[in-house]
Amino acid sequence: MTKYEPVIGLEVHVELMTERKIFCHCKNEFGAEPNINTCPTCLAMPGTLPVLNRQVIEFAIKAGLACHCEIAPYAQLERKNYYYPDLPKAYQISQGDNPLCLGGYLDIETKNGKKRVRLNHIHIEEDAGKLTHLEGEGTLVDLNRAGVPLIEIVTEPDIRSAEEADALLRKIRSIVQYTGVSDGRMDRGSLRCDVNLSVRPLGSEQLGTRTEMKNINSFNFVMKAIEHEFKRQVEVLEAGGEIVQETRRFDSTSGTTSSMRSKADATDYRYFPDPDLVPIVVPVEEVNRIKAQIPRLPDVRIQEYVSRWDLTDYDADLLTNDIRVADFFEEVAARTEYAKIAANLIIADLLPGLAEEGDVPLQPEQLSGLSELLGREEINSNTGRKVMKAMVATDEHIDPIAYVDEHKLRQINDSQLLAEYVDAALQTSAKTVADYKRGKEAALRSIMGQVMRKTSGRANPLLTEEMIKEKIAALPDPE
Ligand code: ADP
Ligand code: MG
Ligand code: ZN
């Protein structure tokens, strides 16, 4: 596997949070009773006509601008013809040769550094209905989703690992959330991803034959599918075989892929301009008006955080993924000079348990207060995390200062008081002291541990360590 590299391009579908569907007046909502949000148009009754929802164009342009795309001077809706039970018209209205947003790119941050992934284009299209297969009893169809607006973000094959694909998807999710065009929730199918993957010998510039894995709906499955498919293709090639261009199904239970069908070429879909829909021409003033509505995006904030608060790119990326967290961090940073301490607490103890929806379970004053206590060394870092966890765990508004005082958690910085604890520990540790003097560094930790236990973890660790070393140095050497 080390002789090959995977080459990956993603096609990411994002459901837009418009109020209405793309070509009719039906409500666009998740989780309604099946087939409630339908009408003759999205049920594809004869004689009905589509009317394009202006908000879809606005949302798609917003997402496109946030992805550094150019807005096409001329875009067209086309019919993509195929038959499937979730597609009552037997064609999907989509875009072929003239998509709404052209080019663009997204910068991602991985453990190996920064990377730019180019986009080919972003186009708009309608979603299909949802099928539910019942074991032995047939299939149910729910057309609430038929006609829900989608954008499809198509990348160039610039991605080289599962980790990069994951970072790109997270970047897309944060951008659609920042711009408010989608909730970006993979668990609800608002964000779904087709993975195209080929392999080639390291150093080769040529693209290999690719397979496509459709409609993967979790970050974890995307990574698993890539890892498995990369390995499978390398094994085929190493055994002297050939990769067939095909669509493969990813089975999340076994973590493997299997052949579904040979891939249809674009010509098989007989794309042609939908005669019921006029071309889309967006005036520059309109594009500018939409541009003005876009909030400060993650990339801008990352740069700011790095230069103003001395955060690493990686940490700044973590803080900006979710706009709720980024906004919260900025409110905290406006209240304290110890923003970096606040950032570390957010990353360690707020992000891991943060729910997908709802407010950040903390007020900015709480975290700025805690950061001040830490920054002024009134509590030590272990205590800091203890208080942070307590504040995050409850809806009650815990005041960090009151909490620290109530639980007697203030750090002991008084050297006279510390000296008493250190002396006591040294007196009962003659052997450990001797070990340390003979060069056993670890012995220090055991003495440190005693002082921490006696002070309920409140001793200033740096002062304590210094003091222990000094006092031991002053003791006579062992025989
Ligand atoms: P199609 O029209 O068949 O959907 P596209 O050229 O639009 O094919 O590409 C679809 C996706 O597949 C894009 O994300 C692209 O980057 C990716 N892709 C194309 N060729 C390859 C390849 N050889 N290896 C990996 N990914 C590829
Ligand atoms: Mg395609
Ligand atoms: Zn409808």
mmCIF file of all heavy atoms in Angstrom, residues 422-423 425-426 433 436 443-449 451 461-475:
data_model
loop_
_atom_site.group_PDB
_atom_site.id
_atom_site.type_symbol
_atom_site.label_atom_id
_atom_site.label_comp_id
_atom_site.label_asym_id
_atom_site.label_seq_id
_atom_site.Cartn_x
_atom_site.Cartn_y
_atom_site.Cartn_z
ATOM 1 N N VAL A 422 5.762 20.634 52.257
ATOM 2 C CA VAL A 422 6.919 19.975 51.656
ATOM 3 C C VAL A 422 7.775 19.335 52.751
ATOM 4 O O VAL A 422 8.176 18.166 52.622
ATOM 5 C CB VAL A 422 7.746 20.984 50.824
ATOM 6 C CG1 VAL A 422 9.067 20.368 50.376
ATOM 7 C CG2 VAL A 422 6.937 21.444 49.620
ATOM 8 N N ASP A 423 8.008 20.060 53.829
ATOM 9 C CA ASP A 423 8.808 19.507 54.919
ATOM 10 C C ASP A 423 8.192 18.224 55.459
ATOM 11 O O ASP A 423 8.879 17.226 55.664
ATOM 12 C CB ASP A 423 8.937 20.533 56.067
ATOM 13 C CG ASP A 423 9.900 21.651 55.690
ATOM 14 O OD1 ASP A 423 10.741 21.418 54.787
ATOM 15 O OD2 ASP A 423 9.806 22.752 56.273
ATOM 16 N N ALA A 425 6.248 16.157 53.947
ATOM 17 C CA ALA A 425 6.387 15.070 52.976
ATOM 18 C C ALA A 425 7.812 14.526 52.995
ATOM 19 O O ALA A 425 8.026 13.306 52.954
ATOM 20 C CB ALA A 425 6.018 15.557 51.576
ATOM 21 N N LEU A 426 8.787 15.406 53.095
ATOM 22 C CA LEU A 426 10.178 14.964 53.065
ATOM 23 C C LEU A 426 10.513 14.134 54.306
ATOM 24 O O LEU A 426 11.237 13.136 54.226
ATOM 25 C CB LEU A 426 11.121 16.171 52.962
ATOM 26 C CG LEU A 426 11.107 16.898 51.607
ATOM 27 C CD1 LEU A 426 12.020 18.113 51.648
ATOM 28 C CD2 LEU A 426 11.494 15.959 50.479
ATOM 29 N N VAL A 433 13.824 10.221 49.147
ATOM 30 C CA VAL A 433 14.794 11.298 49.025
ATOM 31 C C VAL A 433 16.155 10.736 48.634
ATOM 32 O O VAL A 433 16.821 11.243 47.719
ATOM 33 C CB VAL A 433 14.892 12.101 50.342
ATOM 34 C CG1 VAL A 433 16.071 13.071 50.297
ATOM 35 C CG2 VAL A 433 13.601 12.848 50.610
ATOM 36 N N TYR A 436 16.220 9.764 45.058
ATOM 37 C CA TYR A 436 16.324 10.938 44.190
ATOM 38 C C TYR A 436 17.766 11.425 44.141
ATOM 39 O O TYR A 436 18.300 11.753 43.091
ATOM 40 C CB TYR A 436 15.405 12.054 44.683
ATOM 41 C CG TYR A 436 15.456 13.298 43.825
ATOM 42 C CD1 TYR A 436 14.896 13.306 42.550
ATOM 43 C CD2 TYR A 436 16.094 14.446 44.277
ATOM 44 C CE1 TYR A 436 14.964 14.437 41.756
ATOM 45 C CE2 TYR A 436 16.159 15.580 43.492
ATOM 46 C CZ TYR A 436 15.590 15.575 42.233
ATOM 47 O OH TYR A 436 15.651 16.687 41.433
ATOM 48 N N ALA A 443 11.514 9.722 41.624
ATOM 49 C CA ALA A 443 11.237 9.829 43.054
ATOM 50 C C ALA A 443 10.609 11.184 43.387
ATOM 51 O O ALA A 443 9.806 11.303 44.306
ATOM 52 C CB ALA A 443 12.536 9.632 43.844
ATOM 53 N N LEU A 444 10.956 12.177 42.593
ATOM 54 C CA LEU A 444 10.434 13.518 42.816
ATOM 55 C C LEU A 444 8.913 13.531 42.709
ATOM 56 O O LEU A 444 8.204 14.185 43.479
ATOM 57 C CB LEU A 444 11.042 14.472 41.787
ATOM 58 C CG LEU A 444 10.782 15.951 42.011
ATOM 59 C CD1 LEU A 444 11.580 16.449 43.205
ATOM 60 C CD2 LEU A 444 11.173 16.749 40.773
ATOM 61 N N ARG A 445 8.433 12.758 41.715
ATOM 62 C CA ARG A 445 6.988 12.744 41.474
ATOM 63 C C ARG A 445 6.226 12.184 42.674
ATOM 64 O O ARG A 445 5.127 12.606 42.979
ATOM 65 C CB ARG A 445 6.660 11.944 40.218
ATOM 66 C CG ARG A 445 6.289 12.849 39.038
ATOM 67 C CD ARG A 445 5.881 12.047 37.825
ATOM 68 N NE ARG A 445 7.043 11.475 37.168
ATOM 69 C CZ ARG A 445 7.114 10.229 36.697
ATOM 70 N NH1 ARG A 445 6.066 9.437 36.822
ATOM 71 N NH2 ARG A 445 8.200 9.797 36.101
ATOM 72 N N SER A 446 6.825 11.220 43.315
ATOM 73 C CA SER A 446 6.154 10.606 44.447
ATOM 74 C C SER A 446 6.013 11.615 45.596
ATOM 75 O O SER A 446 4.970 11.682 46.262
ATOM 76 C CB SER A 446 6.934 9.355 44.862
ATOM 77 O OG SER A 446 7.050 9.266 46.246
ATOM 78 N N ILE A 447 7.046 12.440 45.785
ATOM 79 C CA ILE A 447 6.975 13.458 46.852
ATOM 80 C C ILE A 447 5.960 14.551 46.474
ATOM 81 O O ILE A 447 5.140 14.975 47.282
ATOM 82 C CB ILE A 447 8.374 14.061 47.104
ATOM 83 C CG1 ILE A 447 9.312 12.954 47.572
ATOM 84 C CG2 ILE A 447 8.302 15.190 48.113
ATOM 85 C CD1 ILE A 447 10.765 13.342 47.620
ATOM 86 N N MET A 448 6.029 14.909 45.194
ATOM 87 C CA MET A 448 5.082 15.883 44.656
ATOM 88 C C MET A 448 3.647 15.393 44.892
ATOM 89 O O MET A 448 2.762 16.141 45.312
ATOM 90 C CB MET A 448 5.387 15.970 43.160
ATOM 91 C CG MET A 448 4.665 16.992 42.406
ATOM 92 S SD MET A 448 5.370 18.619 42.685
ATOM 93 C CE MET A 448 4.305 19.475 41.600
ATOM 94 N N GLY A 449 3.428 14.103 44.635
ATOM 95 C CA GLY A 449 2.108 13.497 44.792
ATOM 96 C C GLY A 449 1.616 13.613 46.231
ATOM 97 O O GLY A 449 0.448 13.910 46.472
ATOM 98 N N VAL A 451 2.432 15.907 48.437
ATOM 99 C CA VAL A 451 2.060 17.288 48.728
ATOM 100 C C VAL A 451 0.691 17.596 48.118
ATOM 101 O O VAL A 451 -0.180 18.203 48.745
ATOM 102 C CB VAL A 451 3.126 18.274 48.197
ATOM 103 C CG1 VAL A 451 2.669 19.721 48.397
ATOM 104 C CG2 VAL A 451 4.466 18.030 48.857
ATOM 105 N N PRO A 461 1.996 23.880 41.431
ATOM 106 C CA PRO A 461 2.905 22.788 41.067
ATOM 107 C C PRO A 461 4.342 23.263 40.801
ATOM 108 O O PRO A 461 5.279 22.592 41.198
ATOM 109 C CB PRO A 461 2.278 22.188 39.808
ATOM 110 C CG PRO A 461 1.121 23.043 39.430
ATOM 111 C CD PRO A 461 0.873 24.035 40.509
ATOM 112 N N LEU A 462 4.497 24.403 40.148
ATOM 113 C CA LEU A 462 5.852 24.863 39.828
ATOM 114 C C LEU A 462 6.629 25.223 41.095
ATOM 115 O O LEU A 462 7.753 24.785 41.298
ATOM 116 C CB LEU A 462 5.786 26.076 38.885
ATOM 117 C CG LEU A 462 5.434 25.727 37.441
ATOM 118 C CD1 LEU A 462 5.372 26.996 36.600
ATOM 119 C CD2 LEU A 462 6.447 24.739 36.859
ATOM 120 N N LEU A 463 5.969 26.014 41.945
ATOM 121 C CA LEU A 463 6.605 26.415 43.210
ATOM 122 C C LEU A 463 6.980 25.194 44.033
ATOM 123 O O LEU A 463 8.074 25.099 44.586
ATOM 124 C CB LEU A 463 5.633 27.274 44.032
ATOM 125 C CG LEU A 463 5.645 28.781 43.805
ATOM 126 C CD1 LEU A 463 4.693 29.437 44.796
ATOM 127 C CD2 LEU A 463 7.056 29.308 43.998
ATOM 128 N N THR A 464 6.035 24.250 44.102
ATOM 129 C CA THR A 464 6.250 23.057 44.916
ATOM 130 C C THR A 464 7.463 22.276 44.416
ATOM 131 O O THR A 464 8.327 21.874 45.195
ATOM 132 C CB THR A 464 5.002 22.154 44.891
ATOM 133 O OG1 THR A 464 3.868 22.935 45.225
ATOM 134 C CG2 THR A 464 5.143 20.995 45.843
ATOM 135 N N GLU A 465 7.511 22.094 43.105
ATOM 136 C CA GLU A 465 8.604 21.308 42.543
ATOM 137 C C GLU A 465 9.949 21.979 42.854
ATOM 138 O O GLU A 465 10.905 21.328 43.297
ATOM 139 C CB GLU A 465 8.421 21.160 41.031
ATOM 140 C CG GLU A 465 9.447 20.208 40.432
ATOM 141 C CD GLU A 465 9.231 19.967 38.952
ATOM 142 O OE1 GLU A 465 8.058 19.971 38.512
ATOM 143 O OE2 GLU A 465 10.240 19.795 38.252
ATOM 144 N N GLU A 466 9.995 23.293 42.636
ATOM 145 C CA GLU A 466 11.228 24.030 42.914
ATOM 146 C C GLU A 466 11.655 23.850 44.367
ATOM 147 O O GLU A 466 12.814 23.594 44.683
ATOM 148 C CB GLU A 466 10.972 25.520 42.666
ATOM 149 C CG GLU A 466 11.718 26.112 41.492
ATOM 150 C CD GLU A 466 11.180 27.501 41.204
ATOM 151 O OE1 GLU A 466 11.262 28.361 42.095
ATOM 152 O OE2 GLU A 466 10.632 27.688 40.088
ATOM 153 N N MET A 467 10.643 24.008 45.236
ATOM 154 C CA MET A 467 10.931 23.956 46.662
ATOM 155 C C MET A 467 11.440 22.587 47.073
ATOM 156 O O MET A 467 12.389 22.470 47.851
ATOM 157 C CB MET A 467 9.657 24.314 47.434
ATOM 158 C CG MET A 467 9.879 24.607 48.886
ATOM 159 S SD MET A 467 8.345 25.123 49.654
ATOM 160 C CE MET A 467 8.157 26.786 49.073
ATOM 161 N N ILE A 468 10.805 21.531 46.531
ATOM 162 C CA ILE A 468 11.243 20.170 46.868
ATOM 163 C C ILE A 468 12.707 20.000 46.463
ATOM 164 O O ILE A 468 13.537 19.491 47.232
ATOM 165 C CB ILE A 468 10.364 19.110 46.157
ATOM 166 C CG1 ILE A 468 8.927 19.168 46.695
ATOM 167 C CG2 ILE A 468 10.938 17.720 46.354
ATOM 168 C CD1 ILE A 468 7.945 18.287 45.926
ATOM 169 N N LYS A 469 13.037 20.454 45.238
ATOM 170 C CA LYS A 469 14.411 20.298 44.745
ATOM 171 C C LYS A 469 15.395 21.039 45.646
ATOM 172 O O LYS A 469 16.431 20.483 46.030
ATOM 173 C CB LYS A 469 14.515 20.832 43.311
ATOM 174 C CG LYS A 469 13.981 19.860 42.268
ATOM 175 C CD LYS A 469 14.174 20.436 40.874
ATOM 176 C CE LYS A 469 13.637 19.495 39.820
ATOM 177 N NZ LYS A 469 13.465 20.175 38.532
ATOM 178 N N GLU A 470 15.031 22.279 45.990
ATOM 179 C CA GLU A 470 15.926 23.076 46.840
ATOM 180 C C GLU A 470 16.152 22.401 48.185
ATOM 181 O O GLU A 470 17.278 22.266 48.661
ATOM 182 C CB GLU A 470 15.309 24.454 47.096
ATOM 183 C CG GLU A 470 15.755 25.530 46.132
ATOM 184 C CD GLU A 470 14.910 26.781 46.303
ATOM 185 O OE1 GLU A 470 14.527 27.100 47.460
ATOM 186 O OE2 GLU A 470 14.606 27.420 45.267
ATOM 187 N N LYS A 471 15.042 21.977 48.785
ATOM 188 C CA LYS A 471 15.153 21.401 50.122
ATOM 189 C C LYS A 471 15.944 20.098 50.112
ATOM 190 O O LYS A 471 16.716 19.820 51.033
ATOM 191 C CB LYS A 471 13.767 21.189 50.727
ATOM 192 C CG LYS A 471 13.132 22.489 51.210
ATOM 193 C CD LYS A 471 11.829 22.246 51.921
ATOM 194 C CE LYS A 471 11.192 23.569 52.354
ATOM 195 N NZ LYS A 471 11.846 24.116 53.576
ATOM 196 N N ILE A 472 15.753 19.305 49.070
ATOM 197 C CA ILE A 472 16.505 18.051 48.997
ATOM 198 C C ILE A 472 18.003 18.340 48.828
ATOM 199 O O ILE A 472 18.855 17.710 49.452
ATOM 200 C CB ILE A 472 16.000 17.156 47.843
ATOM 201 C CG1 ILE A 472 14.598 16.620 48.174
ATOM 202 C CG2 ILE A 472 16.957 15.992 47.611
ATOM 203 C CD1 ILE A 472 14.036 15.664 47.156
ATOM 204 N N ALA A 473 18.283 19.342 47.990
ATOM 205 C CA ALA A 473 19.680 19.686 47.739
ATOM 206 C C ALA A 473 20.378 20.089 49.041
ATOM 207 O O ALA A 473 21.568 19.842 49.235
ATOM 208 C CB ALA A 473 19.770 20.818 46.713
ATOM 209 N N ALA A 474 19.586 20.689 49.964
ATOM 210 C CA ALA A 474 20.167 21.157 51.223
ATOM 211 C C ALA A 474 20.360 20.025 52.226
ATOM 212 O O ALA A 474 21.038 20.191 53.242
ATOM 213 C CB ALA A 474 19.284 22.238 51.819
ATOM 214 N N LEU A 475 19.729 18.852 51.943
ATOM 215 C CA LEU A 475 19.860 17.712 52.873
ATOM 216 C C LEU A 475 21.200 17.023 52.650
ATOM 217 O O LEU A 475 21.737 17.060 51.539
ATOM 218 C CB LEU A 475 18.719 16.715 52.648
ATOM 219 C CG LEU A 475 17.315 17.178 53.046
ATOM 220 C CD1 LEU A 475 16.279 16.148 52.583
ATOM 221 C CD2 LEU A 475 17.239 17.368 54.553
#
